[in-house]
Amino acid sequence: MDAEECAAAKRHKRRLSKKDRKRMSNYFTEYCDATSIHGFRYLGEQKRSCIEKLWWLVTLIVSVSMCTYLIVQTYYKWDRSPVIVSFATKQTPIWQIPFPAVTICPETKCRQSVFNFTKIYMKGYDKLTNEEREQLEYISLVCNPRDIIKKLKLKTVNETVLHFFDDISPSFSDVSLRCVWMGESFDCNTIFSPILTDEGVCYTFNMLDRKELFNDEMSFFKDYLHHENTSVGWSLEKGYAKDVKKDTYPRRALFSGAKNGLFISMKVYDKDLDYICGDSLQGYKILLHHPAEIPRVSQQYFRVPLNQAVVAAIKPEVMTTSSELQGYQPGKRQCYFPHERNLRFFKIYTQQNCEIECLANFTLRLCKCVDFHMPRTNSTPICGPKKIRCMKQAESILLSSEIDIKLKEIEDEDTLNNKTFVGTLDKILNKFNNKAKKEEKPKNSNCDCLQSCTSLRYSTETSQSDWNWTEFFRGLDDPFNFLTDNETVHLSKMVLFFKDMQFISSERDELYGHTDFLANCGGLLGLFTGFSFISLVEIIYFLSLRLICNIRTHGRLLWSNSQDA
């Protein structure tokens, strides 16, 4: 009796299974008749032949596959290149940005009347006195030591070398003759400040004071890069405040044209010229840069030769970033907002400041010292001429490492996630000088020097011509005593001004926002399948609410009827 009951129960379950399959088929047919997705109606029709259903099934699979592929490609494009750079919709007047900081570096590194480098160099290293050897070692940091580099012995030096540069370098009163800003004459020493650069002692105009530029950890020399002007009401990101005065700092040009810029005439005496110290070219190196940026004159400059007049028309290049990009990673948008990256020595982040600090840190790790012009603490050793080759090698290694990292990013972005820039530099350092693994690393050895999200650069269009200044002054009442011996003097003139009253800035913005990405996906789904938000609601409705309601209203009734049967 038990066996018969079990067999009856199994037959009963099979009958229920067939009924369930029939119900499911009818339920699917009902969904296909109701759905707004294209093609499903033909799959659900009971009287359709198998060939027709197969045709529509293949068509649906191909459409969904193509749609999925295109959506995936759209997502990759959104994920890999979420930023687009475009021009601003309106022009910006030049008075909304500062006039560039102007750094002037004389080719004459030392006054020959104070320190005759040529005479000492030609004398021969072995014939020099101890004092002359020490001075030659010092000056070799800014002059080309040529064939005597192997004889130089000082690995590190103290701040005596900075005092030596300060004593022998021409002061700006020795270099400058006349300075005119916005049509008004100024004492050149009041608007130019001395600064240490990779070209030695230079002089800069319209640059921020060192207290606004550097952190307290930075070591300063004398009053270099120190003046009484403060940048009240101005920042790189926000620009000038609306309530600041016209003559604010950093200085800004209110109009374009040669009469509304900076005019400088410079002089040098023939007795102070030296053709062995540098590259035998005489005159001045000029660099225009951001007021909050440390200049690297040896890499970016244009030249003002002796007895020449140079005119430079300035065209600003401004890049801003929309606030919508703050939610993206810096690597995606390729820039840093001010709060995202702090430097050890600099209060203001710029790509140039970051690169200078990174090079200083790397040089310290490799050479155990830094170059005299690099940011450092009071306890950091200054490299002597014996370490010139090491410092050049440090810069070369750092640059080549950055290129290797960028190439690796192009080849395989996923693999690069497990390899940081610091790790790559560590391997190079360990091979180069066998450093111990427990050695303490200086702060911020990881470069990653992306652009600042608000950047400001200045490009120039220059022209020059001979300046026959002797003929010019001959017809004037000579107010300058140097003209009494004009055969020993060389004059140069430079004029800097904005070319146009307005310029068009560039802006980083989202290539695809979330709304744009959703709209693209919706468009592709609608194109290939007719899928919409209502279609999604229909699927959820048939799989949840309607199914539950059907079970509650029909399922129990059918179950009780089958038991009665």
Side-chain angles (χ1 to χ4, degrees), residues 336-386:
Y336 284 116
F337 284 99
H339 62 277
E340 292 179 323
R341 185 71 189 275
N342 296 319
L343 300 176
R344 181 184 181 185
F345 294 105
F346 296 94
K347 291 183 179 179
I348 300 175
Y349 176 87
T350 67
Q351 187 176 30
Q352 179 102 317
N353 292 346
C354 176
E355 289 174 352
I356 290 175
E357 182 169 304
C358 181
L359 178 59
N361 290 333
F362 191 68
T363 303
L364 178 62
R365 296 175 64 190
L366 188 62
C367 306
K368 305 294 186 181
C369 57
V370 298
D371 209 348
F372 70 92
H373 61 86
M374 291 179 176
R376 60 184 179 87
T377 64
N378 290 324
S379 60
T380 304
I382 301 175
C383 292
K386 191 71 173 177

Side-chain angles (χ1 to χ4, degrees), residues 23 36 56 92 117 185 199 210 274 287 306 316 334 381 383 407 410 422-423 428-429 528 543 555:
R23 293 191 196 107
S36 58
W56 284 108
T92 304
F117 172 76
S185 295
E199 286 287 322
R210 65 190 188 186
D274 180 72
L287 174 62
L306 300 181
Q334 288 295 299
C383 292
L407 291 175
I410 296 174
V422 180
I428 297 174
L429 282 172
F528 284 95
L543 291 178

